Amino acid sequence: MTEPETSHFFPHGHFSQHGQPPTPLPGRPLPLDSTAQLLTRITAQLGSQLSRVRLNGTRTSMTPAARPALVAVAHGSRDFGALRTVGALLERVRELRPGLDVRLGHIELNHPLLPDTLAGLEGEAVVVPLLLGRGHHVKHDIPHALATAGRHLSARVAAPLGPHPLLVEALYGRLVEAGWHLDARTVRGTGVVLAAAGSRDPDSAADTRRTAMLLSERLGGVPVLPAYASASPTVPEALRALAARGRHRVAIASYFTAPGRFAAESAAKAPWIAAAPMGAHPAMARLVVHRYEEVLARTPATARDAGPAPLGASALAPTLASALASA
């Protein structure tokens, strides 16, 4: 084992012309501020070196522990555009976190299915649902897949994507792309229907209503009514409710991650403009990364993640200070 050179403890700029550390003049002690600086450097360097030494005397690797894989869970769709859209979203996620292992699994209809994706992983993973609320898939299907994944994988589940301000930014961006604009003449007659898939779970409906409120705030108070392709109120019912309030210039905001039958049916009912699904919008990619990192932040690091505990530098400081004081 190669021992560190003495110069590790005395950075360049603190040596004499002959490469030796400075010495006090005869009869004069080292200045107090220099003593403190020297102590700090020695303590920091010793702590760094000792933190890499195992109990058996060997050194640990400097390579950081691999981060858990990110497993994105999409619903799946018979629409050929859905898989392309989700793939583009995950490419943006990889651009935000180069080197991170990003995988895809589906609840149904598309391959790979989530159990197959989990079967191909070992170690640790964070499962991020590309779903917009706390419905059946989040509460039952994903936990069931994890429970049957086997002991080769330790997985944690992130919150669904919604509700969140980044989702609202994606919705707003898609509306602007579709032609959303307001002026003094039209603002009072304008409204938005937030078209979602729908769920029998009341938590899912509450999440959609919360997103509608956030989008209304983002649009400067324009009313936004949630509506559902498979539940009530439907998109036509929401359009009639807005018309009864004098809102006839109504846009459809597509509260879908990717294209599919429900998104297409909802858009077809738009009396004015219909936004595209949120898809690979940059805010969506940032939100996927955010949900992943939320899990890592709230979970205590394992011994493997934390690395070997150093011999406390703070405990060494009083000893070194006493030695310097008596020198």
Side-chain angles (χ1 to χ4, degrees), residues 11-71:
H12 182 70
H14 294 273
F15 282 70
S16 68
Q17 296 180 9
H18 304 289
Q20 297 299 320
T23 57
L25 294 175
R28 295 187 184 180
L30 197 65
L32 289 177
D33 58 344
S34 299
T35 302
Q37 292 169 5
L38 180 62
L39 171 61
T40 299
R41 292 190 194 99
I42 292 175
T43 301
Q45 292 290 345
L46 281 175
S48 174
Q49 295 294 329
L50 291 172
S51 70
R52 296 178 54 205
V53 179
R54 298 189 181 97
L55 293 178
N56 62 6
T58 61
R59 288 174 175 250
T60 62
S61 170
M62 289 294 287
T63 304
R67 303 192 86 195
L70 188 161
V71 179

Side-chain angles (χ1 to χ4, degrees), residues 163 194 202-214 224 226 228 255:
L194 181 65
D203 287 336
S204 178
D207 291 341
T208 304
R209 289 194 299 271
R210 175 61 179 161
T211 300
M213 292 173 58
L214 293 172
V224 178
Y228 307 98
Y255 198 42

Side-chain angles (χ1 to χ4, degrees), residues 222-281:
V222 170
V224 178
L225 297 186
Y228 307 98
S230 62
S232 184
T234 63
V235 171
E237 288 170 344
L239 289 171
R240 288 195 291 270
L242 286 170
R245 296 161 59 178
R247 306 280 175 166
H248 300 281
R249 188 171 179 263
V250 179
I252 301 293
S254 187
Y255 198 42
F256 297 94
T257 302
R261 179 170 64 90
F262 284 166
E265 290 176 353
S266 299
K269 298 176 173 66
W272 176 35
I273 59 172
M278 293 174 288
H281 191 281

Side-chain angles (χ1 to χ4, degrees), residues 93-159:
V93 171
R94 294 183 182 100
E95 291 171 3
L96 291 174
R97 290 296 180 273
L100 180 62
D101 186 6
V102 179
R103 308 287 184 99
L104 173 62
H106 293 90
I107 299 293
E108 59 183 4
L109 299 175
N110 293 126
H111 292 282
L113 294 172
L114 178 57
D116 297 331
T117 299
L118 297 176
L121 285 168
E122 290 187 0
E124 296 182 74
V126 174
V127 175
V128 181
L130 303 182
L131 306 169
L132 306 178
R134 297 166 292 167
H136 182 82
H137 297 312
V138 169
K139 292 182 177 181
H140 299 282
D141 292 339
I142 292 176
H144 176 73
L146 293 177
T148 57
R151 295 186 177 181
H152 65 284
L153 181 66
S154 173
R156 293 159 283 177
V157 184

